[in-house]
Amino acid sequence: MPDVLFVDMKAESDRLYSGYLHEVILLSLGGLGALVGLLLWVFRSPMRVLLIVAPLAAAVITVTAGLAVFGQQLIILHLVGLLLVVAVGSNYALFFDRADHPPEKGAMDELKPIVRAISPRTLASMLFANLTTVAGFGLLAFSNVSILQAMGVTVAPGVILALIYSAIFARKAHA
């Protein structure tokens, strides 16, 4: 049978998956480096950047640990879900950071009073938006389709943890 080519489908799919996973991890780390670099360039304060990045890292670590504790085998889609957690969570972290740091002093300072507190209406709006995100992705967690389920179990707890951690880290920075 010299004209027959045998392909080990399992070995080939494992090799492809391994390559994709390696590439996704490298690109994610590159994105993280770019995000931190951009924040350092904009804010020019390593401590302030740390307080913005820390809640994101805490949410990612907590979700990953939770998935591992509950026996979830991590796949690429969990990583994609974690990227979404970082994207949404960065908005929360930046929002709480802006509340703790007034704008730079300028010529218009006498016309614009600095308000450091976040209004209850704004906090309620943020919480409502967060809960709708959690509800949407939480429903996916109960899906029988593994792709949807992976996104749901990753993003739903991740975004609520990102909001909670952002508030906690902002409080500690302000205290």
Side-chain angles (χ1 to χ4, degrees), residues 84 88-89 91-92 95-96 120-138 155-164:
L84 187 54
V88 173
N91 291 326
Y92 300 141
F95 179 83
F96 282 108
R121 181 178 285 180
T122 303
L123 284 175
S125 297
M126 262 179 64
L127 183 60
F128 183 73
N130 181 270
L131 291 177
T132 57
T133 304
V134 170
F137 281 99
V155 177
V159 294
I160 199 154
L161 286 170
L163 177 66
I164 292 167

Side-chain angles (χ1 to χ4, degrees), residues 64-128:
T64 305
L67 291 171
V69 164
F70 288 110
Q72 282 272 337
Q73 182 178 359
L74 299 178
I75 60 174
I76 289 178
L77 289 169
H78 288 106
L79 183 56
V80 171
L82 291 172
L83 292 173
L84 187 54
V85 168
V86 170
V88 173
S90 64
N91 291 326
Y92 300 141
L94 287 168
F95 179 83
F96 282 108
D97 175 74
R98 295 305 294 168
D100 285 343
H101 295 88
E104 298 293 324
K105 296 210 177 281
M108 302 292 286
D109 281 344
E110 63 276 357
L111 301 176
K112 295 186 289 187
I114 296 172
V115 179
R116 287 180 164 259
I118 302 170
S119 75
R121 181 178 285 180
T122 303
L123 284 175
S125 297
M126 262 179 64
L127 183 60
F128 183 73

Side-chain angles (χ1 to χ4, degrees), residues 25-87:
I25 290 172
L26 285 178
L27 292 172
S28 298
L29 290 173
L32 175 64
L35 174 72
V36 171
L38 182 63
L39 288 172
L40 283 169
W41 180 66
V42 168
F43 293 125
R44 291 173 172 62
S45 168
M47 189 58 167
R48 190 170 174 189
V49 170
L50 179 65
L51 290 172
I52 292 170
V53 174
L56 306 177
V60 166
I61 290 168
T62 305
V63 169
T64 305
L67 291 171
V69 164
F70 288 110
Q72 282 272 337
Q73 182 178 359
L74 299 178
I75 60 174
I76 289 178
L77 289 169
H78 288 106
L79 183 56
V80 171
L82 291 172
L83 292 173
L84 187 54
V85 168
V86 170

